[in-house]
């Protein structure tokens, strides 16, 4: 018997044209728990009982059906984030990659700025990645700096 949460997942997958197999339900359940971008390796670590190829196929399918969007943040690892699309229209938002911890965040409240293109060019998609230091790493850096200053006294 399915629990209520799985029924909601099944309905969500079906609404996006995805056949809800047991593997896809498990992978989607794990994806939807993530509040930041994740890699295939992250998903493997969270689901050690599942093989890499099954997870990868589910992530590709979810991307094709606009459940996830891919992020190329320049780290060399393909990252995924839960897509908050409206009627198959991607919400174009900024991504932030921390250079200290390597985490990538979707900043959904910040839209990609409009770029005027020359005549004859037509934009199909845009990626906008800002790199810097996230609040957690900045806080850690400030604490460490403060402690080092106290030790010098």
């Amino acid at each position: 018997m399915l629990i209520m949460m799985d029924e909601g997942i099944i309905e969500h997958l079906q609404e996006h044209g995805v056949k809800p197999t047991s593997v896809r339900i498990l992978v989607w359940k794990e994806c939807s728990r993530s509040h930041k971008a994740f890699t295939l390796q992250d998903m493997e670590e969270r689901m050690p009982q599942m093989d890499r190829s099954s997870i990868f196929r589910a992530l590709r399918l979810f991307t094709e059906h606009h459940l996830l969007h891919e992020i190329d943040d320049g780290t060399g690892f393909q990252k995924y984030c839960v897509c908050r699309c409206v009627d198959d229209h991607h919400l174009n938002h900024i991504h932030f990659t921390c250079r200290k911890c390597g985490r990538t965040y979707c900043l959904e409240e910040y839209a990609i700025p409009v770029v005027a293109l020359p005549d004859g060019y037509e934009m199909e998609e845009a990626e906008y990645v800002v790199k810097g230091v996230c609040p957690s790493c900045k806080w850690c850096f400030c604490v460490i700096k403060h402690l080092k200053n106290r030790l010098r006294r």
Side-chain angles (χ1 to χ4, degrees):
M1 185 168 153
L2 295 171
I3 59 171
M4 187 63 76
M5 185 177 174
D6 285 349
E7 288 176 5
I9 289 172
I10 289 169
E11 185 178 323
H12 186 68
L13 293 175
Q14 288 174 332
E15 286 173 357
H16 284 82
V18 175
K19 182 179 177 184
T21 64
S22 57
V23 168
R24 292 171 186 165
I25 292 168
L26 290 171
V27 174
W28 181 250
K29 195 182 291 187
E30 201 56 49
C31 289
S32 62
R33 288 183 182 144
S34 188
H35 299 290
K36 60 179 175 42
F38 55 87
T39 64
L40 173 59
Q41 183 178 351
D42 294 333
M43 295 302 283
E44 286 180 277
E45 291 170 3
R46 294 180 200 165
M47 298 183 298
Q49 75 284 4
M50 195 173 298
D51 67 288
R52 178 183 183 92
S53 60
S54 295
I55 297 170
F56 178 75
R57 285 192 305 271
L59 295 176
R60 294 295 320 144
L61 185 67
F62 296 160
T63 301
E64 290 167 9
H65 287 267
H66 307 293
L67 289 161
L68 297 176
H69 64 269
E70 296 175 314
I71 305 164
D72 181 359
D73 61 4
T75 61
F77 295 98
Q78 185 64 53
K79 293 187 179 176
Y80 302 89
C81 195
V82 173
C83 194
R84 314 246 191 266
C85 299
V86 180
D87 299 327
D88 289 339
H89 173 70
H90 285 282
L91 300 177
N92 292 323
H93 57 269
I94 292 173
H95 296 102
F96 184 91
T97 299
C98 179
R99 291 193 171 181
K100 298 285 185 191
C101 66
R103 291 187 185 114
T104 297
Y105 301 89
C106 288
L107 302 180
E108 294 173 347
E109 60 276 8
Y110 296 94
I112 294 176
V114 176
V115 177
L117 297 173
D119 288 339
Y121 291 87
E122 182 179 331
M123 183 176 82
E124 292 181 351
E125 64 181 79
E127 291 187 36
Y128 197 98
V129 179
V130 177
K131 296 180 181 181
V133 181
C134 71
S136 296
C137 290
K138 186 175 179 181
W139 181 84
C140 288
F141 176 76
C142 290
V143 169
I144 291 169
K145 186 176 175 182
H146 176 73
L147 290 174
K148 282 183 180 178
N149 287 337
R150 289 191 68 159
L151 290 173
R152 288 184 188 149
R153 291 183 193 170

